Amino acid sequence: MYNLYRLLGILHSLKNSDKILQQIQIVYMKIGIVCYPTYGGSGVVATELGKALADKGHQVHFIAYKQPARLSHFHENVYFHEVSFSNYPLFAFPPYETALASKLVDVVKFQNLDILHVHYAIPHASAAYLAKKILREQGIEIPVVTTLHGTDITLVGKDVTFSPVVSFSINQSDGVTAVSESLRQETFDYFDINTDIEVIPNFIDLDAFQKLDKDHFKKAIAPQGERIIMHISNFRKVKRIQDVLDVFHRIHQIMPAKLLLVGDGPERKNAEAQCRDLRICHDTRFLGKQDAVGELLAVADLFLLPSQNESFGLVALEAMACEVPVISSNAGGIPEINLQGETGFLSEIGDVENMAKNAIYLLSNEDKLQEFRKNALEQARRFDIEAILPIYESHYERTIEKVKAKSGMTV
Ligand code: GMT
């Protein structure tokens, strides 16, 4: 199948391009993508990657328990296969992993997939391993790539409940990628890993995230020209929402400012209570879950990301693409995207004093703020999806070749 697609790719190039020699290397693949369908970072990355691969001519099959949040429009090269599982009364816990493995067997076999790319190790990597073994019994060798996103390693994965299965299934994957150097290192630190891990950073679609002219919206939020500070997250403990409010409180004491909080999650109740205690509710708005994040970022002067842990911090990259400097903690992979004194400032986790000092410095100095805005966009351009996509394609091709050579079978 892979060879047929390779040939089709070459024919397509010959038909459509005058730059034949440049195009002749195009290899179209049939790719299965497994992900969580929610708004969480890993699901967003998986969906955007799949859509971009489909735009390039690959055939992409999403496999998830629900239609992924960002997969709303029809695309001729995109397919969706829902993992449904029985709620038989015997099952106190629905057996998602078993249902997923069975679905993977079915989709690989009947759609003739060339490769499976699973996002988030738990339980996707182990379900893929099981599917791979079942398919091998039937004479099909399917290469599996696992992408580690962060919490699957740093928060959930290293928990003893999961860690032996996580290490095993990472080691059994034919290709492994991590979204930052920091996550790669942490994976080697926490687990007994005997395979390579390639860092392929997350990416941004600069057409979807760019500074837009939203002056009418800005006036509605900040009618007196107040500074607008923004935070977007799933409001889990790891995001340290209490620090967001503490930093904003300090900024608010020095200058007129508004805080926009986007997203929702378990910490929202505490955040609302803290907001009342600090008496900043009149200048704070909880906007809940929002789809048009780019439009909201268009009005922000500064983005706050004080996380306890963050393998990458995709949302900081989205802010930077919209020319919004970032005040963040120095956790995990954040320093790989937010550059100290250039695109924003980094502080020790929990050092709200320092974060507020840096924020006030930037917000009180219009020239500096403009300079940081420009730097932020320049940095975001380094993570342009156009540059990152070929790295994934190359990883897939090398993995397919490796599995082919190892098994002696035609993939
Ligand atoms: O923490 C989140 O926002 C969700 C979480 C997830 O598991 O999907 O995000 C993780 O993956 C994102 C995409 O690769 C990264 O940008 C986030 O930094 C990472 N979250 C953590 O490491 C806490």
Side-chain angles (χ1 to χ4, degrees), residues 354-372:
N354 193 252
M355 291 180 198
K357 190 185 100 209
N358 290 332
I360 293 164
Y361 164 73
L362 265 188
L363 294 171
S364 337
N365 185 339
E366 190 57 36
D367 286 348
K368 264 281 164 240
L369 185 62
Q370 291 308 327
E371 183 189 320
F372 274 53

Side-chain angles (χ1 to χ4, degrees), residues 36 38-45 120 147-152 154-155 179 183 202 232-234 236 238-239 305 307-315 333-334:
Y36 282 108
T38 52
Y39 283 92
S42 68
V44 167
V45 169
Y120 209 85
T147 288
L148 310 173
H149 278 276
T151 47
D152 47 353
T154 54
L155 294 184
V179 298
L183 182 60
N202 287 333
I232 305 173
S233 78
N234 50 26
R236 297 204 184 121
V238 67
K239 303 295 173 186
L305 189 68
S307 304
Q308 179 75 32
N309 214 322
E310 203 71 66
S311 69
F312 184 87
L314 184 61
V315 72
I334 302 179

Side-chain angles (χ1 to χ4, degrees), residues 220-221 258-262 280-288:
I221 300 286
K258 300 278 183 184
L259 176 64
L260 291 185
L261 293 164
V262 182
I280 49 172
C281 289
H282 55 292
D283 284 322
T284 302
R285 278 176 82 158
F286 288 84
L287 296 178

Side-chain angles (χ1 to χ4, degrees), residues 246-257 278 280 360:
D246 278 341
V247 172
F248 177 70
H249 180 226
R250 284 164 169 78
I251 299 171
H252 192 256
Q253 284 174 327
I254 303 293
M255 64 181 68
L278 294 172
I280 49 172
I360 293 164

